[in-house]
C-alpha cells in the first residue's frame, strides 16, 4: 500500500513537471512569434507626428475627422444605450467590454503595452494598422516589408469585418470597397 502511494506521488510529480514544461514551451513560442501580442502601442498623437504633413496626404486629419475617431464618443449617446439594452447588455456602453472591443484602440490589452493610447481617441491608427512601437521609426516605415515584419498591418476586408459584422447591434451590412474608399488616407508622395 505504501509503495503504491509513492508510485502515485511520483506519477503526479511527473505530470506536473510535464505540464510546466509544456506551459513554458508555449509561452516561449508565443513570445517569439508575436502571437501573444508583444508589440506595444504608441497612440494617435505619436502616429500623427509622422502623418500630418499636407505633402504626404495629411493622413492624421483624415482619420481624426472621420467616423472611426468618434467611435468611443458614440457609445455615450442615448442611441448606444438603447442598442446595448436591446442586445441584452447592462451598464454604460462606454465601460462594457463588448462595446469597447470595437469602439476603442487596444481594448482589453495589457496596460503595459498601451503607451499613450486613449479611449477618447476612439478607433485610432493602431486599431487598423497594428501596435506601432516597433515599426514607427522612419527607417522601418520606408521599407514596407520591414514595417510588416515589425508588426504593421496592411488592413484588408478581414481586418474591417472583425468589427463591422452581425455581432454589432446596429449592423446594417458592410460593403468593404465602399467603406474603404470613405476612410482612405493615401500618401500621394508614394
Amino acid at each position: 500500500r505504501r509503495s503504491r502511494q509513492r508510485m502515485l506521488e511520483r506519477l503526479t510529480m511527473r505530470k506536473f513537471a510535464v505540464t510546466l514544461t509544456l506551459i513554458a514551451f508555449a509561452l516561449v513560442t508565443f513570445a517569439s512569434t508575436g502571437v501573444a501580442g508583444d508589440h506595444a502601442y504608441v497612440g494617435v498623437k505619436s502616429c500623427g507626428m509622422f502623418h500630418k504633413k499636407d505633402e504626404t496626404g495629411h493622413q492624421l486629419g483624415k482619420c481624426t475627422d472621420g467616423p472611426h475617431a468618434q467611435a468611443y464618443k458614440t457609445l455615450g449617446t442615448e442611441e448606444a444605450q438603447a442598442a446595448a439594452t436591446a442586445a441584452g447588455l447592462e451598464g454604460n456602453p462606454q465601460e462594457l467590454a463588448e462595446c469597447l472591443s470595437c469602439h476603442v484602440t487596444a481594448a482589453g490589452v495589457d496596460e503595459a503595452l498601451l503607451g499613450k493610447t486613449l479611449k477618447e481617441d476612439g478607433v485610432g491608427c493602431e486599431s487598423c494598422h497594428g501596435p506601432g512601437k516597433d515599426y514607427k521609426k522612419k527607417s522601418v516605415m520606408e521599407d514596407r516589408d520591414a514595417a510588416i515584419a515589425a508588426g504593421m498591418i496592411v488592413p484588408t476586408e478581414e481586418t474591417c469585418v472583425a468589427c463591422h459584422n452581425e455581432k454589432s447591434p446596429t449592423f446594417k451590412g458592410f460593403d468593404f470597397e465602399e467603406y474603404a474608399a470613405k476612410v482612405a488616407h493615401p500618401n500621394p508622395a508614394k
Side-chain angles (χ1 to χ4, degrees):
R1 188 171 192 174
R2 197 172 218 184
S3 64
R4 186 174 185 166
Q5 184 178 1
R6 285 184 193 155
M7 189 169 74
L8 286 174
E9 288 173 356
R10 283 187 209 145
L11 184 59
T12 301
M13 288 303 288
R14 283 185 190 153
K15 285 181 182 179
F16 181 72
V18 169
T19 302
L20 282 180
T21 302
L22 289 173
I23 290 170
F25 177 77
L27 289 173
V28 169
T29 301
F30 288 145
S32 66
T33 61
V35 174
D38 56 352
H39 294 289
Y41 292 79
V42 294
V44 170
K45 287 185 182 178
S46 292
C47 295
M49 289 174 28
F50 303 101
H51 298 282
K52 63 182 178 181
K53 297 177 184 170
D54 288 333
E55 62 269 15
T56 57
H58 195 59
Q59 294 95 347
L60 176 65
K62 289 179 181 177
C63 293
T64 57
D65 294 340
H68 286 118
Q70 306 307 313
Y72 178 72
K73 289 177 188 163
T74 65
L75 293 178
T77 65
E78 289 180 21
E79 292 84 2
Q81 184 65 60
T85 301
L89 301 173
E90 294 181 22
N92 179 351
Q94 287 185 315
E95 297 172 0
L96 296 171
E98 296 89 346
C99 301
L100 293 175
S101 66
C102 287
H103 283 260
V104 301
T105 301
V109 170
D110 182 338
E111 287 190 31
L113 297 175
L114 290 180
K116 295 181 180 177
T117 304
L118 303 172
K119 287 191 299 188
E120 293 77 15
D121 289 333
V123 176
C125 315
E126 295 166 294
S127 288
C128 303
H129 296 289
K133 187 171 192 303
D134 296 330
Y135 67 80
K136 73 176 186 172
K137 290 182 184 175
K138 184 178 181 187
S139 61
V140 177
M141 287 294 289
E142 289 176 340
D143 179 345
R144 179 183 170 109
D145 293 334
I148 291 169
M152 186 183 82
I153 295 169
V154 177
T156 63
E157 184 170 359
E158 289 75 30
T159 308
C160 301
V161 298
C163 287
H164 295 279
N165 61 50
E166 296 83 12
K167 288 190 273 184
S168 168
T170 60
F171 183 73
K172 294 179 180 83
F174 181 75
D175 180 326
F176 174 71
E177 298 298 326
E178 176 187 347
Y179 287 100
K182 288 181 181 182
V183 297
H185 48 278
N187 180 344
K190 291 191 176 187

